[in-house]
Amino acid sequence: MRVRVLGSAAGGGSPQWNCACPPCRDARRTGRNRTQDTVAVSGDGTAWFLLNAGPDIRSQILATPELAPGPGLRDTPLRGVLLTTAELDHTIGLLSLREAVRLTVHATPAVSAALQTAFPLRSMLAQYTDLDWREMPERLELDGGLIVDRLTVGAKRPRYATGTPGEGWVSALRLSDRRTGSSFVYATCLPVWTDAFDAFVDGAAEVLLDGTFATDDELTVMTGRPGSAAGMGHLPIVDSRPHAARHPGTRFRYGHLNNTNAMAGDDVVSDGTDIF
């Protein structure tokens, strides 16, 4: 199994274009930029799938040799996209994939409905490509020997979809290699660590966790704006680390960092990090 982090930032990237908080100033000074959260996975190194499609997807694909087209004129190793939320920073990049001859997207019914009614992304895409939009069950098999298990972890709707009914708004994914049994969990939007999530990560080799905020009050401390990590649907790193420590056989790393989050270290991923 191959897992590469294409983008490691939350919505807006880092530095955020209109922010002069200390981490954004430091990112501009050092050139250590982060693009928005998207991960590429493959079971055989040939058939690749995207976990979400952020606004920076075009530049991320161009920076990843494994995702280059060929040998045919329109051949591409990208076989599809799995959406874990309906948020704009996880879905708007689908519009940049409209040149595809065929585009396969997997999403829960709630996410699919939001992207059809509240924001008609599906209808727009269907005008440009052969769009194969599929419901994402709790388990599916993908080309290349990957098995995907899905767990609903949150009920937060995007702002544009306020009032839209449904469940399964925020998902965590566990991808397992059919040949080796090795598994990877993607949970970059995690509002709370439940017993169900604890069981979901148990035995995984690697987990990419929600690293949006270091602490619950980070946004207010850094920018003076009201708001908490919990109120925005994110479990802060300081609260998830004790849970992760109860799984010593699993390596936990953090992605989806907000522009206000200055954390760094071996357990914080960057753009281009190879997890497997």
Side-chain angles (χ1 to χ4, degrees), residues 213-225:
F213 298 108
T215 61
D216 193 54
D217 62 352
E218 176 187 307
L219 187 66
T220 300
V221 170
M222 286 292 181
T223 70
R225 293 174 54 199

PDB file of all heavy atoms in Angstrom, residues 213-225:
ATOM      1  N   PHE A 213      -6.286  22.092  15.120  1.00  0.00           N
ATOM      2  CA  PHE A 213      -5.912  23.006  16.199  1.00  0.00           C
ATOM      3  C   PHE A 213      -5.097  22.275  17.255  1.00  0.00           C
ATOM      4  O   PHE A 213      -5.379  21.120  17.576  1.00  0.00           O
ATOM      5  CB  PHE A 213      -7.157  23.609  16.852  1.00  0.00           C
ATOM      6  CG  PHE A 213      -8.002  24.434  15.914  1.00  0.00           C
ATOM      7  CD1 PHE A 213      -9.229  23.960  15.476  1.00  0.00           C
ATOM      8  CD2 PHE A 213      -7.567  25.671  15.468  1.00  0.00           C
ATOM      9  CE1 PHE A 213     -10.014  24.709  14.618  1.00  0.00           C
ATOM     10  CE2 PHE A 213      -8.339  26.428  14.599  1.00  0.00           C
ATOM     11  CZ  PHE A 213      -9.571  25.943  14.170  1.00  0.00           C
ATOM     12  N   ALA A 214      -4.123  22.980  17.820  1.00  0.00           N
ATOM     13  CA  ALA A 214      -3.325  22.400  18.893  1.00  0.00           C
ATOM     14  C   ALA A 214      -4.108  22.382  20.199  1.00  0.00           C
ATOM     15  O   ALA A 214      -4.046  21.427  20.969  1.00  0.00           O
ATOM     16  CB  ALA A 214      -2.031  23.182  19.068  1.00  0.00           C
ATOM     17  N   THR A 215      -4.845  23.465  20.459  1.00  0.00           N
ATOM     18  CA  THR A 215      -5.642  23.584  21.675  1.00  0.00           C
ATOM     19  C   THR A 215      -7.034  24.079  21.314  1.00  0.00           C
ATOM     20  O   THR A 215      -7.265  24.584  20.203  1.00  0.00           O
ATOM     21  CB  THR A 215      -5.008  24.578  22.672  1.00  0.00           C
ATOM     22  OG1 THR A 215      -4.947  25.883  22.048  1.00  0.00           O
ATOM     23  CG2 THR A 215      -3.602  24.145  23.055  1.00  0.00           C
ATOM     24  N   ASP A 216      -7.962  23.962  22.246  1.00  0.00           N
ATOM     25  CA  ASP A 216      -9.345  24.334  21.957  1.00  0.00           C
ATOM     26  C   ASP A 216      -9.499  25.837  21.725  1.00  0.00           C
ATOM     27  O   ASP A 216     -10.359  26.268  20.954  1.00  0.00           O
ATOM     28  CB  ASP A 216     -10.247  23.888  23.114  1.00  0.00           C
ATOM     29  CG  ASP A 216     -11.713  23.956  22.755  1.00  0.00           C
ATOM     30  OD1 ASP A 216     -12.111  23.359  21.731  1.00  0.00           O
ATOM     31  OD2 ASP A 216     -12.477  24.629  23.486  1.00  0.00           O
ATOM     32  N   ASP A 217      -8.668  26.653  22.371  1.00  0.00           N
ATOM     33  CA  ASP A 217      -8.804  28.106  22.263  1.00  0.00           C
ATOM     34  C   ASP A 217      -7.800  28.738  21.302  1.00  0.00           C
ATOM     35  O   ASP A 217      -7.605  29.955  21.306  1.00  0.00           O
ATOM     36  CB  ASP A 217      -8.664  28.757  23.644  1.00  0.00           C
ATOM     37  CG  ASP A 217      -7.294  28.525  24.282  1.00  0.00           C
ATOM     38  OD1 ASP A 217      -6.503  27.725  23.727  1.00  0.00           O
ATOM     39  OD2 ASP A 217      -7.024  29.133  25.332  1.00  0.00           O
ATOM     40  N   GLU A 218      -7.171  27.932  20.468  1.00  0.00           N
ATOM     41  CA  GLU A 218      -6.099  28.428  19.597  1.00  0.00           C
ATOM     42  C   GLU A 218      -6.541  29.588  18.702  1.00  0.00           C
ATOM     43  O   GLU A 218      -5.820  30.577  18.546  1.00  0.00           O
ATOM     44  CB  GLU A 218      -5.574  27.285  18.730  1.00  0.00           C
ATOM     45  CG  GLU A 218      -4.521  27.702  17.701  1.00  0.00           C
ATOM     46  CD  GLU A 218      -4.167  26.555  16.775  1.00  0.00           C
ATOM     47  OE1 GLU A 218      -3.820  25.473  17.273  1.00  0.00           O
ATOM     48  OE2 GLU A 218      -4.248  26.747  15.552  1.00  0.00           O
ATOM     49  N   LEU A 219      -7.700  29.469  18.088  1.00  0.00           N
ATOM     50  CA  LEU A 219      -8.149  30.492  17.149  1.00  0.00           C
ATOM     51  C   LEU A 219      -8.273  31.848  17.829  1.00  0.00           C
ATOM     52  O   LEU A 219      -7.829  32.871  17.294  1.00  0.00           O
ATOM     53  CB  LEU A 219      -9.493  30.084  16.528  1.00  0.00           C
ATOM     54  CG  LEU A 219     -10.001  30.985  15.402  1.00  0.00           C
ATOM     55  CD1 LEU A 219      -9.080  30.904  14.191  1.00  0.00           C
ATOM     56  CD2 LEU A 219     -11.431  30.596  15.008  1.00  0.00           C
ATOM     57  N   THR A 220      -8.847  31.866  19.017  1.00  0.00           N
ATOM     58  CA  THR A 220      -9.013  33.118  19.748  1.00  0.00           C
ATOM     59  C   THR A 220      -7.669  33.681  20.195  1.00  0.00           C
ATOM     60  O   THR A 220      -7.416  34.890  20.081  1.00  0.00           O
ATOM     61  CB  THR A 220      -9.927  32.905  20.965  1.00  0.00           C
ATOM     62  OG1 THR A 220     -11.201  32.443  20.513  1.00  0.00           O
ATOM     63  CG2 THR A 220     -10.107  34.202  21.734  1.00  0.00           C
ATOM     64  N   VAL A 221      -6.791  32.811  20.686  1.00  0.00           N
ATOM     65  CA  VAL A 221      -5.474  33.268  21.146  1.00  0.00           C
ATOM     66  C   VAL A 221      -4.674  33.878  20.004  1.00  0.00           C
ATOM     67  O   VAL A 221      -4.016  34.913  20.165  1.00  0.00           O
ATOM     68  CB  VAL A 221      -4.704  32.094  21.780  1.00  0.00           C
ATOM     69  CG1 VAL A 221      -3.250  32.475  22.039  1.00  0.00           C
ATOM     70  CG2 VAL A 221      -5.370  31.646  23.069  1.00  0.00           C
ATOM     71  N   MET A 222      -4.720  33.266  18.828  1.00  0.00           N
ATOM     72  CA  MET A 222      -3.902  33.693  17.699  1.00  0.00           C
ATOM     73  C   MET A 222      -4.483  34.870  16.926  1.00  0.00           C
ATOM     74  O   MET A 222      -3.744  35.700  16.387  1.00  0.00           O
ATOM     75  CB  MET A 222      -3.686  32.525  16.740  1.00  0.00           C
ATOM     76  CG  MET A 222      -2.700  31.496  17.248  1.00  0.00           C
ATOM     77  SD  MET A 222      -1.021  32.173  17.304  1.00  0.00           S
ATOM     78  CE  MET A 222      -0.115  30.745  17.901  1.00  0.00           C
ATOM     79  N   THR A 223      -5.808  34.951  16.851  1.00  0.00           N
ATOM     80  CA  THR A 223      -6.424  35.966  15.986  1.00  0.00           C
ATOM     81  C   THR A 223      -7.368  36.916  16.704  1.00  0.00           C
ATOM     82  O   THR A 223      -7.758  37.931  16.136  1.00  0.00           O
ATOM     83  CB  THR A 223      -7.210  35.292  14.850  1.00  0.00           C
ATOM     84  OG1 THR A 223      -8.375  34.643  15.384  1.00  0.00           O
ATOM     85  CG2 THR A 223      -6.346  34.277  14.118  1.00  0.00           C
ATOM     86  N   GLY A 224      -7.772  36.583  17.923  1.00  0.00           N
ATOM     87  CA  GLY A 224      -8.741  37.405  18.623  1.00  0.00           C
ATOM     88  C   GLY A 224     -10.176  37.134  18.204  1.00  0.00           C
ATOM     89  O   GLY A 224     -11.110  37.724  18.765  1.00  0.00           O
ATOM     90  N   ARG A 225     -10.365  36.242  17.247  1.00  0.00           N
ATOM     91  CA  ARG A 225     -11.714  35.917  16.795  1.00  0.00           C
ATOM     92  C   ARG A 225     -12.347  34.907  17.738  1.00  0.00           C
ATOM     93  O   ARG A 225     -11.665  34.033  18.276  1.00  0.00           O
ATOM     94  CB  ARG A 225     -11.675  35.326  15.379  1.00  0.00           C
ATOM     95  CG  ARG A 225     -11.247  36.284  14.308  1.00  0.00           C
ATOM     96  CD  ARG A 225     -11.097  35.556  12.983  1.00  0.00           C
ATOM     97  NE  ARG A 225     -12.311  34.819  12.629  1.00  0.00           N
ATOM     98  CZ  ARG A 225     -12.346  33.828  11.741  1.00  0.00           C
ATOM     99  NH1 ARG A 225     -11.234  33.428  11.147  1.00  0.00           N
ATOM    100  NH2 ARG A 225     -13.491  33.229  11.462  1.00  0.00           N
TER     101      ARG A 225
END
